[in-house]
Amino acid sequence: MCGVGDFHVGSGLVSMYFRVGLPWLARRVFDGMDYRNVVSWTAMVGGYTESGMFEDAVDVFRAMWVIGGVLPNRIALISVLPAIEFLANLPAGKQVHCFAVRMELSGEVSLNNALVDMYGKCGALWYARRIFNDGNWCKDVISWCSMIQGYGLHGDGEEAVALFDQMRTSGVMPDSMIGLGVLSACSRAGLVFKGLEIYHSLVKDCGVHPTEEMSACIVDLLGRSGLIKHALVFIKSMTVEPGPSVWGALLDASVIHNNKEVQDLACRYLLRLEEGNPSNLVSVSNLHAFEGSWNIVEEVRAKIKQEALKKTPGFSWISPT
């Protein structure tokens, strides 16, 4: 048990136990503290969030001010927002926003970025944009990236593109993360030509080095629009080695448009790149079973059995749409 004067030690122990993967011991120390301040509560909120125990993080955040009578500080607000974002708990997100306004932290960049990101991920783009448009704080690259990714996540490619343009006008140069957000938005919205234009502008005008993820977005953009051959030409022209995300995007497109030749090509490369990944083997097996290619199914299943691999639950390169 921690005495009244030992809350600094107790808070340190709470953080330490979370870091070593012992959240139950962290909670035991916390519950045994005679006095808890904002640092103690924040250690619990942040620990639960970083441990993926998102519901516990939100519950402790509420208990901080409802039961403990302790107002959260900026760090506590930032710590709970990823948990709220993951749970898509918009009412809790609005509570955090209210605290930020009440504590006169609405001009704090890192907190505003976290709020924009949370609202964007929860689909409340109007709230995200209202914070973003507030002229009382200085937006950085992360701010633009969060807003653009929010539009991209919800398929509003045109707004994301209009924003990739305002950003450049404001003097902020895009990086690979912003490029990925805009290209993803274009892919979801089917903006083929605009997506290609943005990709080439990023590479040629902004000096952004194309990552595998950016390249996968282009393959997805072309492939989902039925331009399978163009997607293959793009893959051959890539300056980085095409990885699993690229071939996975091509496989998705070939399944959607029933292109057997490209489908087999993508399968071969995918299996070659991640031969030891059981999910890929099972996905390919199921795909060919659906098409009745039982010789390939037997070959893949024999490989799975030979290597004694087990499927990782809930993962597949094949998208449902």
Side-chain angles (χ1 to χ4, degrees):
M1 297 293 182
C2 297
V4 173
D6 295 328
F7 61 85
H8 289 301
V9 175
S11 300
L13 285 172
V14 167
S15 298
M16 182 272 292
Y17 280 130
F18 272 118
R19 282 197 299 271
V20 298
L22 297 171
W24 66 274
L25 277 179
R27 186 59 188 254
R28 184 174 178 181
V29 170
F30 180 78
D31 288 342
M33 295 175 68
D34 295 328
Y35 174 77
R36 307 181 189 102
N37 64 357
V38 68
V39 177
S40 316
W41 286 97
T42 301
M44 285 298 296
V45 173
Y48 275 136
T49 298
E50 292 174 5
S51 301
M53 303 171 70
F54 302 123
E55 292 183 356
D56 292 297
V58 175
D59 288 343
V60 170
F61 175 78
R62 284 203 184 103
M64 178 192 305
W65 47 277
V66 174
I67 298 175
V70 176
L71 284 177
N73 59 13
R74 178 182 63 86
I75 298 175
L77 298 180
I78 294 174
S79 296
V80 77
L81 281 171
I84 292 171
E85 175 185 304
F86 181 87
L87 297 171
N89 189 338
L90 189 56
K94 290 181 178 179
Q95 285 181 336
V96 172
H97 191 182
C98 287
F99 272 117
V101 174
R102 178 181 176 182
M103 297 163 63
E104 298 183 349
L105 293 172
S106 55
E108 211 284 324
V109 177
S110 59
L111 178 55
N112 278 2
N113 285 345
L115 284 168
V116 168
D117 193 58
M118 180 276 298
Y119 277 131
K121 297 287 176 56
C122 290
L125 294 172
W126 184 84
Y127 286 102
R129 191 60 183 264
R130 189 169 74 169
I131 296 173
F132 184 83
N133 286 344
D134 188 343
N136 294 322
W137 63 295
C138 184
K139 293 177 280 293
D140 58 14
V141 173
I142 296 175
S143 316
W144 290 94
C145 186
S146 297
M147 194 68 246
I148 289 170
Q149 286 183 337
Y151 283 121
L153 182 64
H154 296 283
D156 196 341
E158 293 183 356
E159 195 62 41
V161 170
L163 194 61
F164 157 69
D165 292 338
Q166 293 179 30
M167 181 190 65
R168 295 187 63 181
T169 302
S170 71
V172 178
M173 290 298 291
D175 58 11
S176 59
M177 285 301 297
I178 289 179
L180 181 61
V182 177
L183 292 174
S184 177
C186 290
S187 179
R188 289 173 180 269
L191 301 175
V192 180
F193 296 110
K194 191 64 179 178
L196 291 173
E197 176 187 329
I198 290 171
Y199 174 83
H200 291 300
S201 177
L202 286 168
V203 175
K204 294 181 179 179
D205 302 333
C206 303
V208 174
H209 182 72
T211 63
E212 182 189 341
E213 291 77 15
M214 287 174 59
S215 301
C217 275
I218 295 297
V219 172
D220 187 67
L221 177 68
L222 293 169
R224 286 180 179 271
S225 300
L227 302 172
I228 303 291
K229 292 184 178 179
H230 290 77
L232 279 171
V233 170
F234 174 81
I235 291 175
K236 292 178 181 178
S237 70
M238 285 174 56
T239 56
V240 295
E241 187 70 23
S245 61
V246 171
W247 293 110
L250 186 66
L251 179 59
D252 282 348
S254 64
V255 171
I256 291 170
H257 295 286
N258 196 29
N259 189 317
K260 187 67 170 60
E261 182 181 355
V262 174
Q263 181 179 305
D264 290 342
L265 176 68
C267 284
R268 287 199 300 273
Y269 274 100
L270 195 57
L271 291 177
R272 185 184 306 171
L273 285 169
E274 293 195 314
E275 188 172 354
N277 188 328
S279 295
N280 291 341
L281 292 173
V282 174
S283 294
V284 172
S285 174
N286 292 341
L287 178 63
H288 285 289
F290 177 78
E291 295 181 341
S293 302
W294 297 108
N295 56 329
I296 299 179
V297 171
E298 291 301 323
E299 180 182 341
V300 174
R301 288 181 179 175
K303 188 175 186 62
I304 295 174
K305 186 175 181 180
Q306 178 184 354
E307 299 182 8
L309 298 174
K310 295 183 179 180
K311 182 183 179 183
T312 304
F315 180 85
S316 171
W317 278 112
I318 312 298
S319 70
T321 58

Coordinates of all heavy atoms in Angstrom, one line a residue, residues 30 35-37 41 60-71:
F30 N -2.7 1.2 -7.8 CA -3.5 2.4 -7.9 C -4.6 2.4 -6.8 O -4.9 3.4 -6.1 CB -4.1 2.6 -9.3 CG -5.0 3.7 -9.5 CD1 -4.5 5.0 -9.7 CD2 -6.4 3.6 -9.4 CE1 -5.3 6.1 -9.8 CE2 -7.2 4.7 -9.6 CZ -6.7 5.9 -9.8
Y35 N -3.8 8.6 -1.6 CA -4.1 9.9 -2.2 C -3.7 9.7 -3.7 O -2.7 9.2 -4.1 CB -3.2 10.9 -1.6 CG -3.3 12.3 -2.3 CD1 -4.4 13.1 -2.1 CD2 -2.3 12.7 -3.1 CE1 -4.5 14.3 -2.7 CE2 -2.4 13.9 -3.8 CZ -3.5 14.7 -3.6 OH -3.5 15.9 -4.2
R36 N -4.6 10.2 -4.5 CA -4.4 10.1 -6.0 C -4.6 11.5 -6.6 O -5.6 12.2 -6.3 CB -5.4 9.2 -6.7 CG -5.4 7.8 -6.1 CD -6.4 6.9 -6.8 NE -6.6 5.7 -6.2 CZ -7.7 5.4 -5.4 NH1 -8.7 6.3 -5.3 NH2 -7.9 4.2 -4.9
N37 N -3.6 12.0 -7.3 CA -3.7 13.3 -8.0 C -3.8 13.1 -9.5 O -4.0 11.9 -10.0 CB -2.5 14.2 -7.7 CG -1.2 13.6 -8.2 OD1 -1.1 12.5 -8.8 ND2 -0.1 14.3 -8.0
W41 N -4.0 9.4 -11.8 CA -5.1 9.1 -12.7 C -4.7 9.0 -14.2 O -5.0 8.1 -14.9 CB -6.2 10.1 -12.6 CG -7.0 10.0 -11.3 CD1 -6.8 10.7 -10.2 CD2 -8.1 9.1 -11.0 NE1 -7.8 10.3 -9.2 CE2 -8.6 9.3 -9.7 CE3 -8.8 8.1 -11.8 CZ2 -9.6 8.6 -9.1 CZ3 -9.8 7.4 -11.2 CH2 -10.2 7.7 -9.9
V60 N -11.8 4.8 -16.5 CA -11.0 5.4 -15.5 C -11.0 6.9 -15.7 O -11.0 7.7 -14.8 CB -9.6 4.9 -15.6 CG1 -8.6 5.7 -14.7 CG2 -9.5 3.4 -15.0
F61 N -11.0 7.3 -17.0 CA -11.1 8.8 -17.3 C -12.3 9.4 -16.7 O -12.2 10.5 -16.1 CB -11.0 9.0 -18.8 CG -11.2 10.4 -19.2 CD1 -10.1 11.3 -19.1 CD2 -12.4 10.9 -19.7 CE1 -10.3 12.6 -19.5 CE2 -12.5 12.2 -20.1 CZ -11.5 13.1 -20.0
R62 N -13.4 8.7 -16.8 CA -14.7 9.3 -16.3 C -14.6 9.3 -14.7 O -15.0 10.2 -14.1 CB -15.9 8.4 -16.7 CG -16.3 8.6 -18.1 CD -17.7 8.2 -18.3 NE -18.2 8.3 -19.7 CZ -18.3 7.3 -20.6 NH1 -18.0 6.1 -20.1 NH2 -18.6 7.5 -21.8
A63 N -14.1 8.2 -14.2 CA -14.0 8.1 -12.7 C -13.1 9.2 -12.1 O -13.3 9.6 -11.0 CB -13.5 6.7 -12.3
M64 N -12.1 9.6 -12.9 CA -11.2 10.7 -12.5 C -11.9 11.9 -12.0 O -11.6 12.4 -10.9 CB -10.2 11.0 -13.6 CG -9.2 12.1 -13.2 SD -8.3 12.8 -14.6 CE -7.6 11.4 -15.4
W65 N -12.9 12.3 -12.7 CA -13.6 13.6 -12.3 C -14.9 13.3 -11.7 O -15.4 14.2 -10.9 CB -13.7 14.5 -13.5 CG -14.2 13.9 -14.8 CD1 -13.4 13.2 -15.7 CD2 -15.5 13.9 -15.3 NE1 -14.2 12.8 -16.8 CE2 -15.5 13.2 -16.6 CE3 -16.7 14.5 -14.9 CZ2 -16.6 13.0 -17.3 CZ3 -17.8 14.3 -15.6 CH2 -17.8 13.6 -16.9
V66 N -15.5 12.2 -12.0 CA -16.9 11.9 -11.4 C -16.7 11.4 -10.0 O -17.4 11.8 -9.0 CB -17.6 10.9 -12.2 CG1 -18.9 10.5 -11.5 CG2 -17.9 11.4 -13.6
I67 N -15.8 10.5 -9.8 CA -15.6 9.8 -8.4 C -14.4 10.5 -7.7 O -14.5 10.9 -6.5 CB -15.3 8.3 -8.6 CG1 -16.5 7.7 -9.2 CG2 -15.0 7.7 -7.2 CD1 -16.4 6.2 -9.5
G68 N -13.3 10.7 -8.4 CA -12.1 11.2 -7.8 C -12.1 12.8 -7.6 O -11.4 13.3 -6.8
G69 N -13.0 13.4 -8.3 CA -13.1 14.9 -8.2 C -11.8 15.6 -8.7 O -11.6 16.7 -8.4
V70 N -11.1 14.9 -9.7 CA -9.9 15.5 -10.2 C -10.1 15.9 -11.7 O -10.5 15.1 -12.5 CB -8.7 14.5 -10.1 CG1 -7.5 15.0 -10.8 CG2 -8.4 14.1 -8.7
L71 N -9.9 17.1 -12.0 CA -10.0 17.6 -13.4 C -8.8 17.1 -14.2 O -7.7 17.2 -13.8 CB -10.1 19.1 -13.4 CG -11.4 19.7 -13.0 CD1 -11.2 21.3 -13.1 CD2 -12.5 19.3 -13.9

